[in-house]
Amino acid sequence: MKLIRNRRRVLTWSLSMWCVYLAGLFELLPYVVPYLDDFIPKWLSAGILLMSPIARIIHQENLRDE
């Protein structure tokens, strides 16, 4: 296993991490704003998490290890 040098850039800009961030946000929103519990579907965060591996294999030019 090889660690990358620009880990902060990858954690900020990679598509797979954004899928994880969005899924976490949709899971926490009903706890912060209770009336959103009926507005946000329960399957939305699971669907976004399932897109994470697909987003991981997409080539992203801006994340090159320099």
Side-chain angles (χ1 to χ4, degrees):
M1 178 166 62
K2 180 182 173 187
L3 297 177
I4 57 173
R5 282 184 260 147
N6 58 356
R7 62 186 171 271
R8 181 174 292 164
R9 187 173 175 187
V10 170
L11 288 175
T12 305
W13 294 105
S14 71
L15 291 176
S16 61
M17 289 307 296
W18 275 103
C19 290
V20 173
Y21 299 151
L22 281 174
L25 178 72
F26 284 130
E27 281 293 317
L28 290 176
L29 264 177
Y31 294 109
V32 175
V33 184
Y35 69 87
L36 289 177
D37 195 24
D38 295 332
F39 185 71
I40 298 174
K42 301 291 183 193
W43 53 265
L44 185 63
S45 62
I48 292 173
L49 279 178
L50 287 175
M51 289 188 314
S52 178
I54 296 168
R56 176 66 182 103
I57 61 174
I58 295 173
H59 181 67
Q60 299 171 38
E61 284 291 327
N62 60 347
L63 297 177
R64 274 195 193 152
D65 193 19
E66 298 164 358

